[in-house]
């Protein structure tokens, strides 16, 4: 008798009487084995060859990826064409950054490094510890590798900007995770201006702004162009080219780029949700971190004009329990020292630029001071005077006018001023020294970040009147969402600021926070929500 193991083979079993498979089952099993072998042979022979019965495979892949019902889940390597497109965008973004940096931070120095990206998505506020960020608490940062410097490409930005261009960067290792360009920026500068300049460059202007910029380009060309004797700017031909075309090439203003401040005080650029550039400002982190915090409403920003004459006034204002912005005369004897006090106390600085006033009722015309802008100036003269004024205060986030009822009442003069400021990241605050002032009008027409003074605090130099004006400013903020009030370093004003009780319960905020919010709203096309 045979052993049981000899009789129970693949062809025997308890389900078939007689211990053998039926003929039909044996044929099906043999056919399946033949098909599997044929398929394996075909895959081996045709490995890497396109299927001749499928048309455009790249088009089919694109169509499938665009269909949410058929798109594969999980990250997949991009096709070569998409990888090249991503690299083109990154190259174009590098070009924009290297152009905007010297325009907005002309006195700063910077160093660029390539750092492996530890970040998984768009900013959420928590960027971890360390100069380059790290593992954060948000979901998209979990499980990411620690930072590691992967390149030695670096450069320093010279005050003139000419040598601020970094060496050519190698291509990113992966289209999904390009090497992050980390800039360390030092020296005198106003970091907010870099953010404003990038927003201006990368956000698509609305049709009216684009039309105004093209019109301005034509006017400048008629005057001899940027290099003519009447040129309003010496920033180079790129500004005019961009006004004509409106956008960089390739088109980066497609809504896929996000610019955001972090709670660590850095400025980040994201493209398609991936971190591409980070700007660090050593020593300024605490001052810049609040730009990542949403602006509370209602918000009130206080600006004190005519600063730079006395350091004691700057110290007194810096000692207040809430922030104020110091608008400094560029030619004042203590201008730079006042700016230093502001930096130490994390206060904002504005350039208080003298401008031509109208004559008084008695026929006498007040003297605005040295470096004043006048209506009879040619565009090149306005540029030269502005350059002298603003270079004296490299930490200024913007400018407002000292006097200036004649100059700001001239649309042509204000247009020439804004033509030079456009692209430099300067915020424009119209002090509204004349009811028909054109300064804010022209700035808005060119898409610049700007605002108008709502209340003068000390038109009457009596402490009770100043307290009443502060209440009025708070009420305007409550009604509209924000307000800007301007005062002067009078003793009566200082006394009122020390004793004022905020009945409206508004948030007293640094001007930079209001400026950034207004710029974001404008870039997003919804600035009319905050329009006057």
């Amino acid at each position: 008798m045979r052993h049981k193991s000899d009789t129970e083979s693949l062809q025997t079993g308890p389900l078939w009487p007689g211990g053998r498979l039926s003929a039909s089952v044996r044929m099906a099993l043999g056919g399946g084995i033949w098909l599997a072998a044929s398929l394996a042979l075909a895959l081996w022979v045709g490995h890497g060859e396109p299927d001749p019965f499928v048309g455009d495979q790249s088009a089919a892949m694109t169509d499938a990826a665009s269909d949410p019902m058929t798109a594969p889940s999980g990250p997949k390597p991009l096709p070569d064409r998409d990888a090249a497109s991503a690299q083109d965008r990154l190259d174009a973004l590098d070009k924009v950054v290297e152009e905007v940096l010297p325009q907005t931070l002309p006195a700063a120095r910077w160093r660029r490094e390539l750092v492996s990206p530890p970040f998984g998505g768009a900013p959420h506020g928590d960027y971890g510890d360390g100069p380059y960020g790290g593992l954060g608490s948000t979901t998209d940062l979990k499980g990411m590798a620690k930072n590691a410097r992967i390149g030695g490409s670096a450069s320093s930005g010279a005050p003139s900007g000419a040598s601020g261009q970094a060496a050519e960067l190698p291509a990113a290792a992966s289209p999904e995770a390009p090497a992050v360009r980390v800039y360390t920026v030092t020296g005198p500068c106003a970091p907010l201006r870099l953010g404003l300049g990038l927003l201006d460059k990368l956000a698509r202007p609305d049709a009216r702004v684009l039309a105004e910029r093209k019109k301005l380009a034509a006017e400048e060309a008629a005057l001899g162009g940027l290099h003519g004797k009447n040129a309003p700017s010496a920033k180079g031909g790129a500004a005019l080219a961009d006004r004509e075309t409106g956008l960089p090439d390739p088109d980066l203003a497609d809504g896929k780029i996000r610019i955001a401040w972090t709670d660590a005080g850095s400025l980040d650029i994201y493209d398609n949700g991936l971190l591409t550039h980070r700007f660090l400002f050593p020593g300024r982190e605490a001052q810049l971190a609040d730009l990542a915090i949403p602006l509370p409403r209602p918000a009130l920003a206080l600006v004190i004009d005519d600063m730079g004459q006395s350091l004691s006034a700057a110290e007194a204002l810096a000692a207040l329990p809430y922030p104020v912005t110091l608008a400094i005369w560029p030619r004042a004897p203590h201008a730079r020292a006042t700016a230093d006090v502001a930096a130490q106390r994390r206060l904002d600085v504005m350039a208080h630029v003298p401008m031509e006033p109208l004559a008084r009722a008695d026929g006498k015309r007040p003297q605005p001071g040295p470096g004043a802008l006048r209506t009879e100036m040619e565009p090149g003269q306005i540029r030269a005077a502005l350059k002298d004024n603003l270079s004296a205060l490299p930490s200024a986030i913007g400018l407002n006018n000292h006097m200036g009822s004649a100059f700001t009442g001239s649309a042509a003069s204000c247009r020439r001023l804004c033509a030079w400021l456009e692209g430099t990241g300067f915020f424009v605050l119209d002090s509204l020294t004349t009811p028909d002032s054109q300064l804010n009008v022209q700035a808005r027409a060119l898409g610049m970040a700007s605002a108008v003074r709502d209340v003068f605090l000390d038109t009457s130099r009596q402490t009770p009147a100043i307290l009443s004006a502060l209440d009025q400013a708070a009420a305007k903020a409550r009604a509209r969402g924000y307000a800007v009030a301007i005062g002067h370093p009078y003793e009566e004003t200082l006394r009122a600021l020390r004793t004022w009780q905020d009945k409206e319960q508004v948030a007293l905020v640094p001007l930079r926070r209001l400026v950034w919010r207004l710029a974001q709203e404008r870039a997003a096309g919804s600035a009319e929500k905050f329009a006057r």
Side-chain angles (χ1 to χ4, degrees):
M1 179 180 292
R2 287 183 295 180
H3 195 273
K4 182 178 180 181
S5 62
D6 295 331
T7 61
E8 291 183 357
S9 67
L10 288 175
Q11 295 180 335
T12 63
L15 298 180
W16 291 272
R20 300 188 63 84
L21 292 170
S22 66
S24 61
V25 172
R26 289 199 303 272
M27 290 180 64
L29 184 60
I33 294 173
W34 180 83
L35 285 175
S38 299
L39 179 60
L41 179 62
L43 290 175
W44 178 72
V45 173
H47 178 67
E49 297 295 326
D51 187 344
F53 299 103
V54 177
D56 186 350
Q57 290 180 321
S58 62
M61 183 183 300
T62 302
D63 291 341
S66 63
D67 186 349
M69 300 302 294
T70 61
S73 60
K76 299 291 183 182
L78 291 177
D80 290 343
R81 181 176 58 186
D82 291 343
S85 175
Q87 186 61 45
D88 287 343
R89 285 179 64 87
L90 187 58
D91 292 342
L93 194 51
D94 281 335
K95 183 178 178 181
V96 168
V97 167
E98 294 296 334
E99 178 184 333
V100 172
L101 263 171
Q103 290 181 1
T104 56
L105 309 179
R109 301 185 66 83
W110 57 88
R111 184 183 73 253
R112 180 173 64 186
E113 298 173 279
L114 296 182
V115 178
S116 62
F119 310 104
H124 289 274
D126 188 349
Y127 291 81
D129 299 324
Y132 303 141
L135 299 181
S137 61
T138 53
T139 303
D140 60 324
L141 299 184
K142 291 181 179 179
M144 304 305 293
K146 292 184 178 180
N147 303 323
R149 179 176 173 180
I150 64 172
S153 173
S155 72
S156 296
S160 64
S163 62
Q165 306 299 318
E168 183 178 355
L169 293 171
S174 166
E176 292 90 350
V180 180
R181 283 79 166 131
V182 177
Y183 288 79
T184 302
V185 183
T186 59
C189 65
L192 177 66
R193 288 174 51 193
L194 176 60
L196 296 178
L198 289 170
L199 275 181
D200 179 69
K201 193 73 172 177
L202 296 172
R204 183 185 295 272
D206 63 33
R208 290 175 296 179
V209 170
L210 189 57
E212 281 298 317
R213 290 186 177 180
K214 289 182 176 180
K215 182 179 177 182
L216 180 61
E219 293 173 358
E220 291 171 344
L223 290 170
L226 285 173
H227 300 290
K229 67 177 183 178
N230 290 328
S233 172
K235 293 181 288 185
L240 269 181
D242 286 342
R243 283 179 188 157
E244 283 294 343
T245 62
L247 297 168
D249 185 26
D251 184 1
L252 297 175
D254 53 6
K256 297 180 180 179
I257 292 179
R258 181 177 179 185
I259 302 170
W261 292 93
T262 75
D263 55 9
S266 66
L267 178 65
D268 288 357
I269 301 178
Y270 284 80
D271 186 14
N272 285 300
L274 296 175
L275 179 66
T276 61
H277 296 74
R278 167 164 287 183
F279 302 90
L280 307 175
F281 303 93
R284 297 181 172 92
E285 296 89 348
Q287 182 179 14
L288 300 172
D290 61 10
L291 291 171
I293 304 172
L295 183 74
R297 298 186 66 174
L300 175 61
L302 300 178
V303 179
I304 305 299
D305 282 352
D306 298 353
M307 297 300 297
Q309 296 290 99
S310 166
L311 274 180
S312 60
E315 294 285 357
L317 289 165
L320 290 171
Y322 46 80
V324 296
T325 296
L326 307 185
I328 305 172
W329 272 323
R331 306 290 184 88
H334 301 289
R336 187 60 65 91
T338 300
D340 291 341
V341 170
Q344 293 165 9
R345 304 299 181 87
R346 304 174 188 172
L347 301 178
D348 294 321
V349 166
M350 296 272 288
H352 192 44
V353 179
M355 300 183 192
E356 178 186 355
L358 292 169
R360 291 174 177 157
D362 59 5
K364 295 182 179 179
R365 190 182 296 268
Q367 293 302 314
L373 306 182
R374 301 185 181 277
T375 54
E376 68 269 15
M377 285 181 168
E378 295 291 340
Q381 293 174 308
I382 291 177
R383 177 192 65 80
L386 266 177
K387 186 177 180 180
D388 288 344
N389 280 309
L390 301 182
S391 62
L393 293 168
S395 61
I397 64 172
L399 64 82
N400 71 334
N401 51 295
H402 171 63
M403 299 187 181
S405 52
F407 188 91
T408 61
S410 167
S413 295
C414 291
R415 188 176 181 80
R416 293 167 185 165
L417 182 154
C418 293
W420 188 80
L421 288 179
E422 193 268 320
T424 63
F426 265 96
F427 167 71
V428 174
L429 175 60
D430 190 339
S431 298
L432 208 64
T433 55
T434 181
D436 58 350
S437 178
Q438 295 295 303
L439 185 55
N440 181 61
V441 173
Q442 296 301 321
R444 288 178 64 86
L446 291 176
M448 299 171 61
S450 64
V452 174
R453 180 270 309 164
D454 293 289
V455 175
F456 266 135
L457 297 178
D458 41 23
T459 303
S460 172
R461 289 182 59 174
Q462 302 292 326
T463 298
I466 298 170
L467 289 170
S468 177
L470 284 165
D471 289 339
Q472 181 186 358
K476 287 203 171 188
R478 170 70 62 183
R480 190 182 59 192
Y482 77 93
V484 180
I486 292 179
H488 299 82
Y490 305 143
E491 184 56 42
E492 297 85 354
T493 304
L494 292 171
R495 189 179 304 119
L497 292 173
R498 292 189 190 104
T499 60
W500 179 53
Q501 300 294 319
D502 178 16
K503 301 172 185 176
E504 295 287 341
Q505 296 297 301
V506 301
L508 290 160
V509 300
L511 183 63
R512 60 181 176 271
R513 293 184 63 187
L514 175 59
V515 172
W516 183 244
R517 172 62 183 272
L518 293 175
Q520 286 181 303
E521 293 290 335
R522 178 169 293 279
S526 56
E528 293 304 316
K529 291 191 301 183
F530 287 89
R532 296 183 59 81

